[in-house]
Amino acid sequence: MRRRVLLLVGATTSLVLVAFLLPLALLIRDVAADRAVQAATVRAQSLSALVATTDAAALSLSVRQVDTDATVFLADGSTLGATARRTSLVELAFRGTSATGDVPGGREIVFAVAGPTGTIGVIRTFVPDARLTAGVDRAWLLLVGLAVALLAVSLVVADRLARSLVRATISLAAVSHRLARGELDARADPDAPGEIGVVATALNGLAGRIADLLREERETIADLSHRVRTPLMALRLDAEALGDPADADRIGAGVDAVQRAVTQVIEQARRRGVDPAGGCDAAEVVRERVAFWLVLAEDTDRGVGVDVPEGPLPVAVAKADLEAGVDALLGNVFAHTPDGTDFRVALLAREDGGARLEVADAGPGTDAAAVRRGSSGSGSSGLGLDIVRRTAEQAGGGLRIGPSEHGGLLVTVDLGPPP
């Protein structure tokens, strides 16, 4: 913007200066030429009376004293004063017509001197080009200097104005970037020049409204702790009342997992700004979550294939987020396939870092529309695959859905390496 303002002001000022100074320069040139011609004319006319009343010897001396560039052509053909040829203007003057004309090197002026019997002589004077343009070059130089000074002043003023506009615009953009990063306390300067101040005021209002909405959302999500505490406590008591200790421990572990998930959601909702995602060992997380779901797989007569390497596979996903993603994928297998359907979980290291998680089943399969948030064909919330997709994208990867080798569903999740 700054460069464009300078170009606009420079072009406008240049046009104005050209439109004003060019005619003025031509006028100065014409005035200088008219002044030189007028002075020569006055000197030549002063010789008219001498031509009519003075003899040739005295007239020759007077001509040289009055104007060294003047020449007197007499009717008898003699010439007095400066040496000059008999031009067409001189011949015209002998016929009684005084005239002025441009000749090589300057301007020629002739006057006819009339006597009792007709024209008795012609006075010719010559004004050289140097005298016609005397002082013009200096005047033009002054005009050029004035134009440069005016242009420089206009550019300096325009630069000051453009700098204030650019500074306000950059500041406004910086505030918008800070808001995009989650710094909701960032505010623009409403006193910025012109319309930028209006935009800054509107942006501040929008930031305040977003902060209010997020605050309300955080408080609403935080209220879940009070709403789910009583049902979870009842489930825990029911689990402890079971006769089989193994079932009691398993249900109690599930209740603890729900409690941890709810607590994590509440903590994330109460955090201000955007926290870095962190990282975790994908092999450890996948191994732990598969072990958790193996108990349910045995109860539903499902065959489980597990291919998880021993070594650590660091990925750019927080442990809790990856746990939630793996649980969503395995939960979909149990929710959308009939009992007895086999599935396979594989974790592979990617060549460019990170890991690739594959969950394949031998069920009826589904279409790619299931990845859309809220889309479900079995009465669930439809958020499982979308949660996995967002987790993968935040880690610099992605999610793909396709058919498995057994005709069921294959979900491939790419997770990028930690920075």
Side-chain angles (χ1 to χ4, degrees):
M1 179 185 292
R2 182 179 176 185
R3 181 180 300 177
R4 293 181 179 180
V5 171
L6 291 178
L7 289 176
L8 176 61
V9 173
T12 304
T13 304
S14 300
L15 290 176
V16 173
L17 290 176
V18 169
F20 174 73
L21 296 181
L22 184 59
L24 182 60
L26 297 178
L27 178 62
I28 291 175
R29 185 192 63 182
D30 294 340
V31 168
D34 292 341
R35 184 184 297 114
V37 170
Q38 184 177 6
T41 301
V42 170
R43 290 194 301 271
Q45 287 179 341
S46 64
L47 297 174
S48 299
L50 297 177
V51 172
T53 59
T54 308
D55 57 23
L59 180 59
S60 176
L61 180 61
S62 299
V63 168
R64 296 183 181 276
Q65 291 177 348
V66 174
D67 189 356
T68 57
D69 294 324
T71 303
V72 177
F73 296 92
L74 298 177
D76 57 3
S78 59
T79 302
L80 305 177
T83 303
R85 65 184 183 86
R86 198 179 183 98
T87 63
S88 58
L89 284 181
V90 175
E91 297 294 340
L92 183 63
F94 270 108
R95 293 194 290 271
T97 302
S98 301
T100 301
D102 293 328
V103 295
R107 184 170 299 180
E108 183 181 32
I109 307 171
V110 295
F111 299 95
V113 180
T117 59
T119 301
I120 61 175
V122 172
I123 302 174
R124 174 196 178 271
T125 186
F126 176 74
V127 182
D129 290 334
R131 193 178 302 171
L132 290 172
T133 59
V136 174
D137 294 341
R138 184 175 61 181
W140 283 4
L141 185 61
L142 292 176
L143 290 179
V144 171
L146 177 62
V148 172
L150 291 176
L151 182 60
V153 170
S154 66
L155 290 179
V156 169
V157 174
D159 182 68
R160 291 292 183 89
L161 178 61
R163 186 178 301 176
S164 64
L165 293 176
V166 170
R167 187 184 300 113
T169 304
I170 294 176
S171 175
L172 185 63
V175 171
S176 66
H177 290 314
R178 291 176 59 192
L179 291 174
R181 292 194 299 267
E183 301 178 24
L184 299 181
D185 57 343
R187 292 296 182 270
D189 183 11
D191 296 329
E195 289 77 5
I196 298 180
V198 178
V199 177
T201 303
L203 182 62
N204 290 340
L206 178 62
R209 181 56 179 163
I210 292 175
D212 294 338
L213 292 176
L214 290 179
R215 188 180 304 110
E216 294 176 3
E217 183 180 0
R218 285 194 296 268
E219 296 304 324
T220 301
I221 297 177
D223 289 342
L224 288 174
S225 61
H226 301 284
R227 298 188 181 188
V228 302
R229 183 173 298 164
T230 300
L232 288 177
M233 182 60 65
L235 287 175
R236 181 178 296 278
L237 293 176
D238 291 341
E240 293 176 354
L242 292 175
D244 187 352
D247 291 340
D249 293 340
R250 180 170 57 84
I251 296 177
V255 173
D256 291 338
V258 174
Q259 182 66 48
R260 287 195 304 271
V262 172
T263 302
Q264 181 191 4
V265 171
I266 294 171
E267 291 176 352
Q268 287 181 343
R270 286 190 174 276
R271 282 200 298 263
R272 300 180 63 87
V274 178
D275 295 333
C280 68
D281 180 7
E284 178 185 358
V285 173
V286 173
R287 193 179 302 111
E288 290 178 356
R289 300 320 299 163
V290 170
F292 174 82
W293 287 93
L294 280 177
V295 178
L296 183 58
E298 293 176 357
D299 293 341
T300 56
D301 297 326
R302 298 174 183 268
V304 181
V306 180
D307 183 10
V308 179
E310 292 295 334
L313 288 179
V315 293
V317 183
K319 181 177 181 180
D321 293 337
L322 184 55
E323 289 177 346
V326 175
D327 287 342
L329 292 176
L330 298 180
N332 279 343
V333 174
F334 287 89
H336 300 289
T337 61
D339 292 347
T341 303
D342 298 339
F343 66 91
R344 177 181 59 86
V345 179
L347 184 67
L348 308 173
R350 298 199 312 174
E351 294 182 357
D352 54 350
R356 173 171 295 167
L357 175 63
E358 296 180 351
V359 177
D361 61 63
T366 185
D367 56 13
V371 76
R372 293 201 301 267
R373 187 176 182 85
S375 175
S376 174
S378 61
S380 65
S381 63
L383 301 180
L385 288 180
D386 184 71
I387 292 174
V388 179
R389 177 188 60 80
R390 290 191 294 113
T391 301
E393 291 178 352
Q394 291 174 359
L399 179 144
R400 298 191 305 275
I401 296 179
S404 68
E405 58 183 359
H406 299 294
L409 181 66
L410 170 62
V411 180
T412 303
V413 182
D414 288 321
L415 302 172

